[in-house]
Amino acid sequence: MILLDLNIEELEELLASYDCRRFRALQLYKWLASGCGFSEMSDLPKSLRDKLSCDHIAQPIKISESIKSKDGSVKFLYELCDGNIIEGVFMPHDYGNSLCVSTQVGCRMGCEFCASGIGGLVRNLTAGEILGQVVSVNKFFGGNLSDRKITNIVLMGSGEPLDNYDNTVKFIETVSAPYGINIGQRSVSLSTCGIVDKMRELADLQLGVTLSVSLHATLDEYRRKLMPIANKYSVTDVVSAARYYFKKTGRRVVFEYSMVKGVNMNFADVRRLAEITKGMSAHVNLIMLNKVDGKNIAGCTKQEGERFCMKLRELGVSATVRRSMGSDIAGACGQLRRNRIKV
Ligand code: SAH
């Protein structure tokens, strides 16, 4: 078993089955969340460590490669215990450092512009494998539990978090637990392609996380061309689930919108976006598409993007063009993994 899959109560139960006192669980958890292996856990009896290491895994994530961009972001390639490879990116900002984490190996959503879905879904990540990304990168930068090198998390790596709902929710709970790495839920953003039922379920949990919704189009007809999930849920369904999330949590919802010239950047789109965001706390994050090999979809120029953003603002919509990082290191979803697993 991957020990980082467990929360502290579950770890206590596990240790009880080894005839071990409860207080040991907290000691063990601190080591696990600091990115340490069994051999480093110096305040735990050697006999216990030996027994645990026969049956369990302390660190499920091994950083196999790191590539630094000119802009300071760092792309990571991680190896999982079964040999699968996933990726993530660390981005320094003036307000802190964020880590983009993956929730699945591959993805089955098949969005037109995205590299993660090209090979389909391989498997879900466990909660501990998602947490392990944060733990290992924190350690990589010399951080520990009192001096964290990661202050924000974005669930925007490979995979659809709400397609791996239980493990994602458990990850949000463990990453924000005070006994662990303790990143507040308000510093976690979850991005979804719009799985409506799960958005509502998440809203009912009333966690503090920011919900980002990959909208990308205001009309079903065009959204269906970009995102197969749009055949299941209409724009109206997705927006009403986003409104429900806002109502339940009071958290501002972010709509992600990849700009494609001549397709979703007309004045009618500006008006519809204004309608969609009216009466709720919402922000439109305009995305300059990253070119993906084998995908024939073009975005727009920086100037066209800025102009579209201005028009939204003129109608009172809170909007910004997303600052792109790591374009020289295949920073976007799934790009690096694709390069590496290509034979
Ligand atoms: N599955 C989730 C999270 C992963 S993608 C989701 O769909 O939201 C995170 C964001 O990056 C999404 O808004 C996605 O649409 C966007 N994205 C994917 N590929 C991209 C590319 N090539 N260029 C720019 N943005 C991309």
Side-chain angles (χ1 to χ4, degrees):
M1 165 177 282
I2 294 170
L3 294 181
L4 277 173
D5 281 345
L6 306 178
N7 61 28
I8 193 77
E9 291 82 21
E10 291 162 337
L11 202 57
E12 279 174 0
E13 259 173 56
L14 180 84
L15 287 189
S17 72
Y18 286 87
D19 287 329
C20 196
R21 305 265 299 280
R22 283 186 108 74
F23 75 92
R24 294 283 187 207
L26 196 58
Q27 284 178 315
L28 174 57
Y29 198 92
K30 300 251 179 237
W31 290 114
L32 296 170
S34 305
C36 296
F38 293 113
S39 61
E40 295 165 271
M41 302 179 178
S42 51
D43 60 0
L44 290 178
K46 171 111 183 12
S47 56
L48 174 65
R49 286 190 267 150
D50 288 345
K51 275 187 258 165
L52 287 174
S53 68
C54 285
D55 304 336
H56 306 291
I57 293 160
Q59 299 302 330
I61 297 286
K62 200 175 104 207
I63 294 177
S64 53
E65 206 173 324
S66 64
I67 309 172
K68 193 161 181 191
S69 161
K70 292 198 287 279
D71 61 23
S73 59
V74 182
K75 185 97 204 191
F76 288 99
L77 216 57
Y78 313 104
E79 193 180 329
L80 307 176
C81 299
D82 63 1
N84 268 306
I85 286 173
I86 53 166
E87 64 186 86
V89 58
F90 171 89
M91 293 164 285
H93 307 287
D94 10 321
Y95 57 82
N97 300 322
S98 62
L99 185 70
C100 177
V101 301
S102 294
T103 51
Q104 296 178 315
V105 183
C107 181
R108 63 184 177 127
M109 295 298 133
C111 298
E112 194 48 46
F113 42 80
C114 181
S116 302
I118 293 173
L121 176 68
V122 178
R123 70 168 174 87
N124 281 335
L125 296 183
T126 70
E129 287 171 327
I130 309 174
L131 182 60
Q133 298 166 52
V134 183
V135 164
S136 61
V137 172
N138 186 43
K139 191 180 189 203
F140 178 90
F141 287 112
N144 52 48
L145 296 188
S146 43
D147 176 23
R148 278 176 292 115
K149 303 297 183 194
I150 298 164
T151 54
N152 297 70
I153 307 276
V154 290
L155 288 152
M156 289 192 187
S158 294
E160 165 51 47
L162 298 187
D163 189 38
N164 183 15
Y165 183 84
D166 292 343
N167 293 338
T168 296
V169 167
K170 183 147 196 206
F171 159 73
I172 293 168
E173 284 164 357
T174 48
V175 81
S176 60
Y179 52 80
I181 201 127
N182 194 11
I183 296 177
Q185 292 183 357
R186 285 171 171 267
S187 306
V188 177
S189 284
L190 183 153
S191 181
T192 177
C193 62
I195 301 184
V196 164
D197 316 355
K198 295 293 176 188
M199 286 165 73
R200 289 179 175 270
E201 221 175 303
L202 189 73
D204 288 333
L205 290 181
Q206 296 187 304
L207 303 173
V209 302
T210 299
L211 184 68
S212 287
V213 182
S214 297
L215 192 64
H216 301 315
T218 55
L219 290 179
D220 289 321
E221 187 198 347
Y222 176 56
R223 196 164 189 266
R224 282 197 285 260
K225 285 190 188 141
L226 278 186
M227 309 170 76
I229 192 75
N231 291 303
K232 188 158 183 203
Y233 303 108
S234 68
V235 170
T236 310
D237 294 338
V238 173
V239 170
S240 94
R243 280 181 182 271
Y244 183 74
Y245 191 87
F246 167 67
K247 209 174 91 198
K248 276 281 176 177
T249 63
R251 305 283 294 152
R252 184 175 78 155
V253 172
V254 176
F255 289 103
E256 285 156 288
Y257 197 86
S258 294
M259 296 176 288
V260 184
K261 191 184 171 181
V263 175
N264 66 354
M265 298 176 72
N266 306 314
F267 192 65
D269 293 302
V270 176
R271 268 195 274 111
R272 281 189 291 265
L273 278 171
E275 203 52 44
I276 283 169
T277 52
K278 205 165 74 188
M280 72 189 285
S281 178
H283 180 78
V284 177
N285 203 1
L286 298 167
I287 301 178
M288 306 287 299
L289 269 179
N290 280 306
K291 185 89 192 77
V292 174
D293 283 351
K295 297 274 189 186
N296 201 10
I297 179 165
C300 67
T301 65
K302 184 100 186 113
Q303 265 174 341
E304 288 159 346
E306 291 296 345
R307 218 174 304 138
F308 187 70
C309 185
M310 280 313 295
K311 285 190 201 148
L312 281 169
R313 288 186 185 171
E314 279 162 19
L315 291 196
V317 179
S318 158
T320 41
V321 179
R322 181 165 82 174
R323 195 160 60 102
S324 174
M325 292 188 92
S327 51
D328 55 333
I329 52 164
C333 285
Q335 286 185 352
L336 186 64
R337 171 172 174 266
R338 279 232 50 84
N339 294 348
R340 289 298 180 275
I341 62 178
K342 247 182 228 163
V343 281

